[in-house]
Amino acid sequence: MVKTKRAPNDEEWRALAFGWVVAKHVKSNANVYTRAGKPRSGRGQMSRVDSVKIGAMKAVLPLAGTVVASDASFLSPMAWKRP
């Protein structure tokens, strides 16, 4: 499932397909940052939100044009908001 306002273009679909294959082999709540068939970062953590944050901090920069493939589900925007 892709949850964005804009549909992914062909290059982004290829990056997502690659990222989902990689995410299959990462720990639970995997998030794989990828672009053009190359992983930029990948993390699995107990917390879905922390996994995304740590992956972004550790990613090979720049992240522009990068997609994030995940095995985790983010059911609510509230998952992203911390008190």
Side-chain angles (χ1 to χ4, degrees):
M1 173 166 74
V2 175
K3 183 78 173 171
T4 61
K5 293 180 181 179
R6 175 184 65 79
N9 61 34
D10 289 341
E11 181 180 337
E12 291 166 335
W13 275 117
R14 284 190 296 275
L16 282 168
F18 173 76
W20 285 322
V21 170
V22 174
K24 178 181 175 181
H25 301 285
V26 178
K27 290 185 177 189
S28 180
N29 293 324
N31 293 287
V32 178
Y33 293 74
T34 184
R35 178 177 52 203
K38 296 179 183 176
R40 311 299 279 177
S41 179
R43 292 288 179 270
Q45 297 289 324
M46 291 178 66
S47 163
R48 296 175 186 137
V49 175
D50 289 345
S51 182
V52 171
K53 289 180 180 178
I54 293 168
M57 287 186 324
K58 299 286 187 177
V60 176
L61 298 175
L63 284 179
T66 301
V67 299
V68 180
S70 179
D71 73 345
S73 61
F74 295 91
L75 303 177
S76 164
M78 293 306 293
W80 296 98
K81 296 184 179 177
R82 296 285 183 160

